[in-house]
């Protein structure tokens, strides 16, 4: 992955819309790419210890591994058959037709999920 991959992308447009110094775009990408290349694993046992409700939100085309996302949701007590028992405290929302960057613009959907989750 190289910074040139992101030229004229929705991510660059979003960055330029809020960045106080647009000249740091390439440096930002280099740091992001470097970080993405380092494996990070919170650990299943640590995730399973989280007792607070968690709301996971992802776009269906955001590049996240959905199998891992569902696994995380399961570790948080999710993916039960709610019709036959208590609903889990944690929730999973996968927003259709969204990438990692475009999901940020879906404030109406995100606020709807947040409002429901926080009740």
């Amino acid at each position: 992955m190289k910074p040139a991959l992101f030229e004229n992308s929705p991510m660059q447009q979003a960055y330029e819309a809020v960045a106080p110094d647009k000249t740091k775009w390439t440096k930002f990408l280099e740091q992001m790419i470097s970080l993405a290349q380092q494996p990070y694993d919170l650990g299943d046992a640590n995730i399973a210890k989280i007792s607070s409700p968690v709301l996971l939100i992802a776009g269906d085309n955001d590049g996240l591994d959905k199998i891992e996302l569902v696994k995380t949701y399961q570790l948080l007590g999710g993916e039960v058959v709610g019709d036959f028992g208590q609903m889990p405290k944690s929730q999973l929302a996968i927003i259709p037709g969204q990438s990692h960057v475009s999901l940020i613009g879906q404030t109406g959907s995100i606020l709807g999920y947040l409002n429901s989750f926080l009740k």
Side-chain angles (χ1 to χ4, degrees):
M1 198 179 321
K2 303 279 184 205
L5 177 68
F6 296 95
E7 287 179 15
N8 302 314
S9 68
M11 190 166 112
Q12 184 177 14
Q13 293 169 3
Y15 177 89
E16 289 179 354
V18 298
D21 183 353
K22 293 168 186 42
T23 64
K24 295 184 178 181
W25 166 246
T26 301
K27 180 70 174 169
F28 164 73
L29 286 175
E30 290 168 349
Q31 291 174 334
M32 184 186 71
I33 291 166
S34 175
L35 181 63
Q37 292 172 341
Q38 298 173 18
Y40 180 79
D41 184 358
L42 184 59
D44 291 356
N46 290 325
I47 293 170
K49 288 180 192 174
I50 297 172
S51 60
S52 299
V54 175
L55 171 60
L56 301 168
I57 300 177
D60 61 351
N61 295 290
D62 67 5
L64 292 175
D65 182 336
K66 300 307 177 283
I67 293 170
E68 287 299 316
L69 186 62
V70 169
K71 181 178 164 186
T72 300
Y73 180 56
Q74 289 171 327
L75 290 167
L76 294 167
E79 200 181 43
V80 301
V81 180
D83 293 331
F84 301 111
Q86 186 174 358
M87 293 293 285
K89 295 185 297 183
S90 293
Q91 296 178 10
L92 171 61
I94 299 178
I95 315 266
Q98 298 303 313
S99 70
H100 193 69
V101 174
S102 69
L103 181 60
I104 296 167
Q106 300 304 311
T107 53
S109 294
I110 292 171
L111 285 173
Y113 287 112
L114 281 172
N115 286 334
S116 175
F117 177 72
L118 293 173
K119 285 184 181 177

